[in-house]
Amino acid sequence: MGRITATMDTNQQMKPTDYFDRHPVFRFDDFAAAHAAGGRRSRQTTASVLKQHVAAGRLLHLRRGLYASVPRGADPERHPVDPYLLATQLAPDGVVAYHAALQFHGKAYSLWNRYYYLTRGRQRRFAFGDQEFVPVQAPAALRELPDLGGGVVERPHAGGVVRVTTLERTLVDVLDAPERNGGWEEVWRSLEMVEFFDVDAVLDYTRALGSALTAARVGFFLEQHRDALMVEAQHLEALHGLAPAQARYLDSRRESGKLVKDWNLVVPERVLNRSWAEVS
């Protein structure tokens, strides 16, 4: 997984507007690399070019080092910026994740204007219009891996490319951090919209993450949906081996419930019985 950049012959003269047409949202450094013409143009020249196009209404300057292209003839004051492209470009290694990934894949029960994205480094929250972009530093166990632990793909979208977690990684991530998906009801209802998971990939990423509690949560969810998701006994056995040795609460708030011995999880009745399904 790496930064999305343009490739071109540096001996050719690149028109900035051609770059804008192919990159709806882009970072200064990526444009500068394409615009440098083999080192014949300085970063100051590049910055001046971008400033001119912002003034002309051809670009939006979203924040330091980040721009969005405005199509020819469009009103820059009203031009929408795709939130998934924006989340991808907010960091050099940005990856749309958690609820935002479910939403990108069309599997979120509720639609949000909050977009989580993974990155190795530390970033500040960012707001654009009514949209909020929340950075999440990748877990320490995964931070130095070239693919952040796997389960990251690039998908064409809205004229650009989005980096996003797969449904398999997203399943594990939202069970690992349900607060980034709106709580258990939103987690369950969203994941139940997915017709198929590659359970081997789920298991591989659960191992990489290295959390016994998360492994138990994943195992409990898959066992509860065993028939619908065609989960095999070998997958559940593997997850049993990763589950905690002592009883843990499903919820970080230590919500009371029933002990599910197979997973050493104290599961709230509303999750155990999916009681929200009775409410229309």
Side-chain angles (χ1 to χ4, degrees):
M1 183 193 71
R3 183 182 298 182
I4 299 170
T5 58
T7 58
M8 64 179 59
D9 185 348
T10 55
N11 292 321
Q12 295 178 347
Q13 286 290 101
M14 184 202 71
K15 293 182 178 179
T17 52
D18 291 340
Y19 186 94
F20 305 157
D21 288 340
R22 296 194 299 270
H23 300 82
V25 182
F26 63 90
R27 298 176 62 81
F28 175 91
D29 287 344
D30 295 330
F31 176 77
H35 187 249
R40 294 192 299 275
R41 295 192 183 104
S42 68
R43 289 176 66 87
Q44 290 79 8
T45 298
T46 297
S48 177
V49 167
L50 292 176
K51 185 175 181 179
Q52 292 171 12
H53 284 284
V54 169
R58 189 67 173 84
L59 293 178
L60 295 174
H61 187 194
L62 303 177
R63 73 174 188 182
R64 184 177 180 179
L66 188 64
Y67 297 83
S69 303
V70 179
R72 292 176 175 85
D75 182 351
E77 297 293 328
R78 298 184 179 183
H79 175 61
V81 178
D82 183 86
Y84 304 105
L85 294 177
L86 180 48
T88 298
Q89 295 294 343
L90 279 167
D93 58 352
V95 178
V96 175
Y98 300 98
H99 187 274
L102 286 170
Q103 195 161 290
F104 177 83
H105 292 299
K107 303 300 180 182
Y109 181 71
S110 301
L111 298 181
W112 292 6
N113 286 332
R114 177 179 293 168
Y115 299 85
Y116 288 97
Y117 66 97
L118 284 168
T119 176
R120 290 182 178 84
R122 294 184 179 276
Q123 298 271 326
R124 294 182 178 179
R125 293 192 179 207
F126 174 68
F128 181 75
D130 63 350
Q131 299 168 336
E132 182 183 15
F133 298 86
V134 183
V136 177
Q137 191 172 26
L142 309 177
R143 205 171 295 157
E144 300 308 317
L145 298 178
D147 57 357
L148 290 178
V152 176
V153 294
E154 295 184 352
R155 293 287 182 261
H157 175 75
V161 177
V162 170
R163 279 187 301 265
V164 60
T165 56
T166 62
L167 284 170
E168 287 76 17
R169 175 168 179 158
T170 306
L171 178 150
V172 180
D173 282 343
V174 298
L175 289 169
D176 180 63
E179 68 278 3
R180 297 184 186 126
N181 203 67
W184 296 119
E185 180 178 356
E186 181 72 15
V187 167
W188 248 246
R189 286 183 180 269
S190 296
L191 294 179
E192 286 173 344
M193 295 174 68
V194 182
E195 298 84 4
F196 173 80
F197 289 101
D198 180 341
V199 185
D200 287 327
V202 171
L203 183 55
D204 287 344
Y205 178 65
T206 303
R207 287 195 183 103
L209 192 59
S211 165
L213 176 57
T214 299
R217 289 170 173 173
V218 171
F220 172 72
F221 179 87
L222 291 179
E223 186 171 58
Q224 194 180 57
H225 300 83
R226 182 173 185 170
D227 292 338
L229 296 176
M230 297 178 288
V231 179
E232 298 178 7
Q234 65 191 39
H235 297 125
L236 298 178
E237 290 171 7
L239 288 163
H240 279 135
L242 301 174
Q246 303 296 325
R248 302 280 299 275
Y249 285 91
L250 177 78
D251 195 280
S252 61
R253 296 171 297 180
R254 302 173 68 86
E255 184 177 346
S256 62
K258 180 179 178 180
L259 175 63
V260 179
K261 292 183 179 179
D262 282 351
W263 300 107
N264 271 331
L265 278 181
V266 178
V267 181
E269 294 286 344
R270 61 192 174 89
V271 179
L272 192 64
N273 301 321
R274 289 175 281 179
S275 57
W276 53 75
E278 301 169 4
V279 181
S280 59

